[in-house]
Amino acid sequence: MGVLNLTPDSFSDGGLWMDPSRAVDRAEEMVAQGADLLDLGAESTRPGGGVYGNGAQTVPVEEELDRLLPVLERLRERVSVPLSVDTRKSAVARVALEAGADLINDISCLSDPEIAVVAAESGSPLVLMHSRGDLASMQSRIHFDDVVAEVIQDLAGAIERACQQGVSRDQIVIDPGIGFGKNGQQNLELLLRLDELQQLDRPILVGASRKSFIGAVIDQPAASRLPGSLATIAWAASQRAAMVRVHDVAETVQFLAVWEAIDSAGGPP
Ligand code: HH2
């Protein structure tokens, strides 16, 4: 899953793709590099209370759509890969699906419960990413006794709430929410024990690309964290993740191609 942030303030590529023509070019480049789907985000979700200070500002619906639609509409005519909309708002999700988006990526785990209704009505896949509390303060109020067990429990609850709104379990993809309301050690533990999330019997998406817990292991700025990001990808692949959300598509595609070639070199079991 290639990341395309149509924002002025995303933590690693903010401001790079604000111009719709440049954004469409970048999206086509990621498809040519082997991205299987693209995730379009028009609101940064940097959590507050930690390394990102007060975190990202909430963007009004109209502004989010003004950033998103010119790119989404043009891209829909030009690429055939599925397009995901990274949003917390049902109003944005609804319009995006009408404009040709294929799936909803909700990093707030149904903070707007209507998102589940939109997914139920459209039948589109729905990513439920784990996060607790509000974005503005989630890095200052972290408490888990057992981060993996509690993430699994919270995701099970979110799946249940989505299904109560008419979403079918088959539509749901789960995500541990690396970097959202967790400290560095908890992010590492979530990756270490990622396979335990398989008990929810849903495909797992992991978004660890360039995140600050990598910078805590090796002191590098976001744009220089590709090698560390690839380590998280190797780990996610070994834990049977179905998808990885990345900024560096070409490098990740090559990395995973070789990883998979080694993994399957023994032939079928
Ligand atoms: N992480 C970010 C945004 N969306 N979606 C899912 N499913 N999983 C993630 O881990 C995830 C996500 C944050 O990264 P980025 O989009 O690069 O930054 P920003 O939120 O500052 O735009």
Side-chain angles (χ1 to χ4, degrees):
M1 178 187 253
V3 178
L4 187 63
N5 283 317
L6 312 168
T7 59
D9 57 342
S10 288
F11 80 93
S12 84
D13 58 353
L16 284 181
W17 318 115
M18 289 297 282
D19 171 48
S21 307
R22 278 177 54 91
V24 171
D25 287 350
R26 171 63 185 150
E28 290 190 300
E29 181 182 49
M30 286 194 282
V31 173
Q33 290 172 341
D36 291 323
L37 71 160
L38 299 177
D39 189 38
L40 276 55
E43 177 185 61
S44 171
T45 48
R46 300 178 320 282
V51 291
Y52 304 118
N54 293 330
Q57 293 286 319
T58 300
V59 174
V61 170
E62 283 311 313
E63 193 174 338
E64 198 174 331
L65 286 172
D66 284 349
R67 293 176 185 175
L68 180 68
L69 287 180
V71 178
L72 175 59
E73 285 165 357
R74 271 193 248 179
L75 258 188
R76 189 61 298 167
E77 290 170 3
R78 293 165 77 142
V79 300
S80 56
V81 298
L83 300 175
S84 154
V85 57
D86 187 340
T87 189
R88 302 183 280 161
K89 305 186 190 83
S90 58
V92 173
R94 196 181 294 279
V95 175
L97 290 176
E98 281 163 11
D102 301 280
L103 64 148
I104 305 169
N105 175 20
D106 178 13
I107 63 100
S108 73
C109 219
L110 302 179
S111 68
D112 174 355
E114 275 288 307
I115 285 216
V117 177
V118 176
E121 285 170 4
S122 66
S124 73
L126 172 65
V127 177
L128 295 176
M129 192 204 78
H130 182 270
S131 62
R132 272 182 184 173
D134 61 297
L135 267 183
S137 60
M138 63 170 61
Q139 290 307 117
S140 54
R141 299 202 190 124
I142 299 172
H143 178 78
F144 290 100
D145 290 321
D146 178 338
V147 68
V148 179
E150 290 173 51
V151 164
I152 291 171
Q153 194 178 34
D154 290 351
L155 284 174
I159 293 172
E160 194 54 42
R161 279 182 284 135
C163 291
Q164 279 165 7
Q165 299 293 340
V167 176
S168 155
R169 270 187 82 88
D170 297 349
Q171 287 171 249
I172 298 174
V173 173
I174 53 170
D175 183 325
I178 301 291
F180 286 87
K182 289 114 192 161
N183 64 31
Q185 182 60 32
Q186 289 161 347
N187 290 316
L188 295 172
E189 193 172 344
L190 270 170
L191 285 168
L192 176 69
R193 296 169 53 197
L194 189 69
D195 202 43
E196 293 181 35
L197 271 65
Q198 304 285 357
Q199 66 188 257
L200 294 173
D201 202 20
R202 299 309 314 138
I204 299 172
L205 166 64
V206 175
S209 180
R210 299 185 183 177
K211 285 190 174 166
S212 62
F213 77 100
I214 299 172
V217 175
I218 177 96
D219 187 15
Q220 292 289 341
S224 304
R225 292 178 191 155
L226 172 61
S229 300
L230 292 176
T232 69
I233 296 216
W235 197 272
S238 74
Q239 301 284 299
R240 300 182 292 149
M243 272 185 273
V244 283
R245 181 182 181 279
V246 302
H247 301 85
D248 303 287
V249 171
E251 294 84 351
T252 303
V253 166
Q254 181 179 142
F255 184 90
L256 277 175
V258 176
W259 192 95
E260 282 167 7
I262 296 167
D263 192 45
S264 57

